[in-house]
Amino acid sequence: MSESTSAAVSGEDEVVGLCSELIRIDTSNYGDHSGPGERAAAEYVAEKLAEVGLEPQIFESHQGRASTVARIEGEDRSRPALLIHGHLDVVPANADDWTRHPFSGEVADDCVWGRGAVDMKDMDAMTLAVVRDRLRSGRKPPRDVVLAFLADEEAGGTYGAKYLVDRHPGLFEGVTEAIGEVGGFSFTVNENLRLYLIETAEKGMHWMRLTVDGTAGHGSMTNRDNAITELCEAVGRLGRHEFPVRVTKSVRGFLDELSDAFGVELDPEDMEATLAKLGGIARMIGTTLRNTAAPTMLGAGYKVNVIPGQATAHVDGRFLPGHEEEFLADLDRILGPRVKRETLHSDKALETDFDGALVDAMQAALKAEDPIARAVPYMLSGGTDAKSFDDLGIRCFGFAPLQLPPELDFAGMFHGVDERVPVDGLRFGVRVLDRFLDHC
């Protein structure tokens, strides 16, 4: 592409193609290095950044598990830097379940389809599009901006964000604030109000294995020490347990905004009516009121007529900020003394205030592109790479702006079948991020 032609290409022009091309690079993360890895995507990102004058670095933590990092010099280098981070890996997808192939990046029905369309190659593409546009036109951000396109977020970030924070912390020298995924998306209340949810908190995690040892024996014999029976009873108790409501400051802020938007007083102890009004995002919001523990896997036995001596289960546990000790105590009480609980992966919960100049910049950028926008804080029920960057004292927000059609089940797109992102939403996100960078 010639220089004159390149200069004429805007971020809005590029973003759909960038998103589609990223989706076509299969970066499925199975959690055990058996997938294709992120190297090809990291090289693609590095090439796109190098084309506009940056000097990106690729860091490979394990064969094929690669992340790309670059720094943009700002107008005032004495100011603290901003981090924009996104992950390159995606969860696996079974093509037989999809309307369109999950790694086609097909553009159809005004959407870009494929695994990663919202989690989170959309934000990767928007970031690339904005950065390339700004650098082609010589528009520096007001302060240094570090870009990080990361491996392994879908398995806890061990080979991506955690690796970089532990082994290469100098990459983030001077960074005090960050934006990343699962925030800045719209929820339409009515024709006069659209809420944009900014992530200010996220739950912590305990992925765990439960084990019960019993007495092995013949399947035809009576056995009062059957490990499967004991484990299933414990898992049943846990799966049906409803943890108590605990309202954190981010959730309180969100509920206050909802109360104002709907003109009703909300009772956190009775949220059914409120969640019903939220449509698909209720699944994301409802679980931020409580700790949760979801049984996800069971394993035992090797033959139908043999009672095994051991049974195991896996549980995805999520706890609210400030409530980890309560959560673990509740788990042990519910499971009982026969169940051995082993943590496989754990990470902290995060929460920050919804205030400051960076939040003001988000609000202003959204309002400039959508006059009925109102930015509000919320808590993510899952986790992101922000947990790793918090270890460096970086204040993290979820801000990947998308204006969404009210009928789209956005929450259902995450790890779901027929994941897709609206073309207009991507272009909106580019415009918002560009304005945001002007005032960050």
Side-chain angles (χ1 to χ4, degrees), residues 150-361:
L150 303 160
D152 199 40
E153 190 275 344
E154 295 293 0
T158 300
Y159 297 93
K162 287 184 185 297
Y163 171 82
L164 293 180
V165 166
D166 291 343
R167 302 286 189 90
H168 303 282
L171 294 168
F172 310 101
E173 182 179 356
V175 174
T176 58
E177 297 172 305
I179 61 169
E181 65 174 324
V182 203
F185 57 92
S186 68
F187 168 64
T188 301
V189 177
N190 53 50
E191 61 184 10
N192 299 311
L193 179 61
R194 219 177 338 259
L195 302 181
Y196 286 83
L197 281 63
I198 310 298
E199 188 211 311
T200 54
E202 54 187 54
K203 294 172 84 171
M205 67 173 67
H206 275 283
W207 292 343
M208 65 197 86
R209 177 166 50 231
L210 309 180
T211 304
V212 172
D213 292 314
T215 302
H218 199 290
S220 67
M221 303 292 184
T222 299
N223 188 326
R224 304 296 184 189
D225 190 31
N226 189 314
I228 293 177
T229 302
E230 186 71 33
L231 179 70
C232 287
E233 288 175 349
V235 169
R237 290 193 300 272
L238 183 61
R240 288 188 293 270
H241 181 74
E242 192 168 84
F243 291 84
V245 170
R246 298 285 185 258
V247 181
T248 68
K249 60 185 177 183
S250 292
V251 172
R252 180 74 270 168
F254 179 70
L255 294 179
D256 288 345
E257 292 285 357
L258 281 185
S259 295
D260 180 68
F262 289 116
V264 295
E265 181 108 11
L266 300 181
D267 178 5
E269 296 287 351
D270 182 18
M271 288 296 293
E272 287 188 20
T274 300
L275 294 175
K277 294 180 181 179
L278 297 181
I281 67 167
R283 281 176 286 177
M284 297 173 69
I285 303 304
T287 53
T288 63
L289 292 167
R290 309 172 189 272
N291 297 328
T292 60
T296 55
M297 298 169 63
L298 287 170
Y302 55 89
K303 197 169 186 291
V304 69
N305 63 342
V306 178
I307 296 172
Q310 187 178 83
T312 62
H314 288 74
V315 173
D316 184 346
R318 308 283 174 148
F319 59 89
L320 298 168
H323 294 278
E324 182 175 12
E325 290 185 10
E326 176 189 43
F327 176 61
L328 296 177
D330 283 347
L331 282 177
D332 290 337
R333 176 179 53 80
I334 295 162
L335 293 171
R338 286 289 307 276
V339 180
K340 176 186 175 184
R341 176 175 58 80
E342 176 189 1
T343 297
L344 301 177
H345 180 82
S346 65
D347 219 330
K348 59 191 170 185
L350 301 179
E351 188 158 37
T352 189
D353 292 325
F354 188 60
D355 60 15
L358 200 70
V359 170
D360 293 342

Side-chain angles (χ1 to χ4, degrees), residues 50-90:
E51 283 177 359
V52 290
L54 294 180
E55 298 180 355
Q57 296 175 271
I58 295 177
F59 297 87
E60 193 168 72
S61 57
H62 186 278
Q63 186 175 357
R65 310 306 303 278
S67 302
T68 298
V69 182
R71 183 180 286 254
I72 305 171
E73 290 189 5
E75 295 285 357
D76 183 357
R77 304 209 69 196
S78 68
R79 289 185 58 197
L82 172 73
L83 169 66
I84 302 177
H85 62 94
H87 62 85
L88 296 171
D89 63 320
V90 298

